[in-house]
Amino acid sequence: MPFFQKYKREKKQHHLMQKQQTNLNQKLISSKLKENLAVIQEIFSDTPDLVVRNFVIKQTQFHAALVYLSGLSDKLAINQHVLKPLLFEADQDKDFDVKVSLGLIKEVTAWPELESDILEGCSILFIDGRAVAYHFDTHGWPQRGIEDTSIESSLRGAHEGFAETGSTNIALIRRHIPNRELKIKEMKIGERGKTNIAIMYLADVANPEVLQEIIDRINKLEIDFLSNTASLAEYIEDNPYSPFPQLFITERPDFAASEIFQGRIVIVVDRSPNVLIGPATFESFFKSMDDYSLRWMGASFLRLMRYFGFVAAIFLPATYIAVISFHFEIIPLKLLLSVGASRERVPFPPFIEAIIMEITLEMLREAGIRLPAKIGQTVGIVGGIVIGQAAVEAGIVSNIMVIVVALTAIASFIIPNYDMGSAIRMLRFPMMIAASLFGFVGLTVGLMTLIAHFVALESLGTPYGSPIAPLRFSDWKDLFIRFPLWSMVKRPESTRPVQGKKANSSRPEGDKQ
């Protein structure tokens, strides 16, 4: 009985709070200053950082109050550009909104909008006798400066990355695209914690159907708050059960700007140091900004290495297991004797041996990430050497298995995108299981399943496998081989751009030999 009484009491309190919130949403700002301040104290109860400055405007002798949150507002801007003109200046020819020298001043009449403005760092002015409040843009929360990216490092590209402030990130992208066709659509997500979102695109290049699809998916979200960009990607992606990332997340403003030029759409999430890019295709996760800073032959070699690393990271351990367990007759005799000698003292089958080493490697990798940078590198290197050597001497694993696992790890780390690298590391485990059960037959079935999923997958309605599935040979100039920049005169068809041809993309006639 006490449990049910407590449940009924909590349910009653919940309904009462909802009713109060509904009444507040329907209520307008009063012309009486005391009533407005009472509502403010009711909304922001138990909020010690709420500041209410009562004063008298010198020009009109009206009683007024300025309300803001001390940790989110710029106190210097408030004192110099809001309070000082209102307290000490008396110019009869100017109204207060002319004297206050701030960029954005607007009138607010509804309490929900006023509450949201205060929580975003704005200051609100109430004046006795006016049934309206005035919004001043005095944001001043703590923020990190622009630094180099920690994950997507570059040798020759720009050494600046996004910060946690949405307006700063928009400015970084706009700096790379000084064009009037760059448009920004602003939205808000979250019932309790409002998060500002900016959708950036080129109006004469981006496909309007893709843009509308993104807007529709965001509008359908019913969540309390949005923590970061990766959460938004998980909410709006096409297939949540696919191991492959279907939207691109980047920390680099130059990469985001280049994707906008290609016809893609960028989503900037406030309070997140990353932006979201869509639609994404499989091949876009193997590109890096350094590909366009090197000459085309060097860039093509690096890109081929990434695709080779992709295949090796998924299939190398599984191939080793299949060969040792089922198809050892294909191994040359001398190599077979060497493998047999290294496995002589190992009591486990190849699958268990591989699982032990792969899980150990993943644990070392995760430990290296979570520990401080200087300690993490030491733990990763020393831990790998010590554990690998000790495991071989104890007869738990063979020398060949240590080599296979090390090559697999190196192959997975060559992928430039972290999300794709994580997907590859996960996919190797089902491949290893299939190879341990059925040998090359299981490996073939796993490969065909992966290809079927790859062909059927979409990103914002765009085929994920483009330009391989469906075949679009015009986009192959930037697929496995990165052709010279002057030869790539069209935007990729996979983005479905409105304007397909690039401006000034051909090589000058005088430079052709």
Side-chain angles (χ1 to χ4, degrees):
M1 287 297 293
F3 171 78
F4 290 105
Q5 291 177 356
K6 182 179 179 182
Y7 173 76
K8 289 181 179 179
R9 185 167 60 252
E10 291 179 351
K11 189 175 182 180
K12 185 177 180 181
Q13 291 176 352
H14 177 70
H15 285 306
L16 181 61
M17 292 175 62
Q18 284 186 332
K19 186 176 180 180
Q20 291 176 348
Q21 183 66 33
T22 303
N23 294 335
L24 182 62
N25 292 341
Q26 297 174 351
K27 188 177 181 181
L28 297 177
I29 294 174
S30 172
S31 60
K32 297 181 179 179
L33 179 61
K34 290 184 178 180
E35 292 183 3
N36 291 331
L37 294 182
V39 176
I40 285 290
Q41 295 297 337
E42 180 183 351
I43 296 174
F44 296 97
S45 60
D46 298 329
T47 308
D49 56 340
L50 179 72
V51 178
V52 180
R53 295 283 299 270
N54 293 282
F55 60 95
V56 176
I57 300 176
K58 185 173 184 180
Q59 176 178 328
T60 60
Q61 296 301 311
F62 287 155
H63 290 274
L66 189 69
V67 181
Y68 60 91
L69 292 174
S70 60
L72 299 179
S73 301
D74 186 352
K75 300 179 184 63
L76 180 62
I78 290 174
N79 291 331
Q80 292 293 329
H81 302 294
V82 179
L83 290 176
K84 183 179 178 181
L86 296 178
L87 286 171
F88 302 108
E89 295 180 11
D91 191 345
Q92 299 298 328
D93 296 330
K94 292 183 179 181
D95 200 0
F96 82 93
D97 56 347
V98 178
K99 294 192 298 179
V100 175
S101 56
L102 280 177
L104 177 62
I105 303 175
K106 67 177 183 179
E107 296 183 353
V108 182
T109 58
W111 283 105
E113 182 182 359
L114 185 145
E115 178 184 353
S116 177
D117 290 343
I118 294 177
L119 291 173
E120 290 178 358
C122 301
S123 53
I124 302 296
L125 177 67
F126 294 99
I127 300 177
D128 195 21
R130 297 192 182 185
V132 64
Y134 297 91
H135 158 118
F136 300 110
D137 191 5
T138 54
H139 303 102
W141 51 74
Q143 55 183 313
R144 179 172 60 93
I146 299 173
E147 301 173 356
D148 197 0
T149 60
S150 58
I151 297 177
E152 302 173 67
S153 57
S154 175
L155 296 177
R156 293 186 177 179
H159 293 277
E160 60 181 9
F162 289 118
E164 284 78 10
T165 307
S167 57
T168 301
N169 296 340
I170 292 173
L172 288 172
I173 295 176
R174 189 179 285 280
R175 185 165 172 261
H176 288 274
I177 311 177
N179 191 290
R180 65 181 181 183
E181 294 297 332
L182 179 64
K183 306 300 181 182
I184 302 174
K185 288 186 178 294
E186 293 188 338
M187 305 176 68
K188 288 183 181 290
I189 294 181
E191 298 296 328
R192 291 183 178 271
K194 298 288 185 181
T195 301
N196 295 321
I197 289 180
I199 302 175
M200 305 183 68
Y201 60 97
L202 286 176
D204 59 340
V205 176
N207 191 301
E209 295 180 2
V210 177
L211 175 63
Q212 190 58 46
E213 180 69 21
I214 292 176
I215 294 174
D216 292 343
R217 293 188 186 188
I218 293 177
N219 285 330
K220 290 178 182 178
L221 296 181
E222 296 180 0
I223 55 178
D224 279 347
F225 74 104
L226 186 67
S227 57
N228 51 49
T229 305
S231 300
L232 179 61
E234 189 172 348
Y235 280 121
I236 67 174
E237 64 185 359
D238 290 66
N239 188 348
Y241 301 105
S242 173
F244 293 112
Q246 296 147 58
L247 294 168
F248 204 98
I249 299 176
T250 182
E251 294 181 333
R252 301 187 60 87
D254 53 351
F255 185 84
S258 67
E259 294 300 306
I260 291 177
F261 279 121
Q262 298 295 331
R264 291 186 170 89
I265 297 170
V266 169
I267 305 175
V268 180
V269 180
D270 194 22
R271 301 191 292 272
S272 179
N274 309 288
V275 300
L276 200 60
I277 302 174
T281 54
F282 176 77
E283 51 87 21
S284 63
F285 293 92
F286 292 84
K287 296 178 180 177
S288 169
M289 285 306 298
D290 282 336
D291 293 352
Y292 306 96
S293 302
L294 302 173
R295 297 189 69 248
W296 71 272
M297 288 180 286
S300 300
F301 173 76
L302 292 178
R303 190 170 295 178
L304 289 173
M305 289 292 294
R306 292 179 196 136
Y307 283 105
F308 175 78
F310 167 77
V311 175
I314 294 180
F315 296 105
L316 185 58
T319 303
Y320 172 81
I321 293 171
V323 170
I324 297 299
S325 301
F326 295 93
H327 311 285
F328 53 85
E329 67 275 3
I330 68 174
I331 307 176
L333 181 58
K334 291 185 178 180
L335 180 59
L336 182 61
L337 293 174
S338 176
V339 172
S342 67
R343 285 190 46 79
E344 184 179 3
R345 297 175 55 224
V346 179
F348 304 113
F351 173 69
I352 300 298
E353 186 184 4
I355 286 292
I356 292 173
M357 289 305 298
E358 290 290 351
I359 292 178
T360 302
L361 178 68
E362 291 299 320
M363 292 173 64
L364 283 172
R365 187 190 66 83
E366 189 68 17
I369 293 175
R370 303 305 167 193
L371 289 172
K374 296 180 180 179
I375 303 175
Q377 294 178 0
T378 304
V379 169
I381 297 172
V382 176
I385 295 173
V386 171
I387 292 176
Q389 184 66 27
V392 171
E393 291 181 357
I396 299 175
V397 297
S398 62
N399 293 325
I400 301 295
M401 177 54 71
V402 173
I403 295 173
V404 169
V405 170
L407 290 176
T408 304
I410 294 172
S412 65
F413 292 147
I414 200 175
I415 308 301
N417 183 266
Y418 180 81
D419 293 328
M420 181 58 75
S422 300
I424 292 170
R425 288 194 293 271
M426 287 188 296
L427 285 172
R428 76 172 65 132
F429 289 100
M431 292 296 175
M432 289 163 56
I433 295 173
S436 68
L437 294 176
F438 306 105
F440 280 157
V441 175
L443 203 57
T444 304
V445 171
L447 175 60
M448 297 303 294
T449 304
L450 199 62
I451 292 175
H453 174 72
F454 171 77
V455 171
L457 197 60
E458 290 186 345
S459 172
L460 299 174
T462 301
Y464 190 71
S466 178
I468 301 173
L471 282 173
R472 291 183 174 129
F473 288 110
S474 61
D475 290 352
W476 280 49
K477 292 183 178 181
D478 197 21
L479 184 58
F480 302 109
I481 301 294
R482 201 274 280 170
F483 278 50
L485 294 176
W486 51 263
S487 67
M488 294 186 284
V489 298
K490 291 184 178 181
R491 293 184 172 87
E493 294 182 14
S494 58
T495 61
R496 294 184 286 167
V498 174
Q499 189 182 100
K501 190 173 182 180
K502 300 179 182 178
N504 300 324
S505 56
S506 60
R507 189 180 181 187
E509 291 292 335
D511 294 339
K512 294 182 180 180
Q513 300 294 331

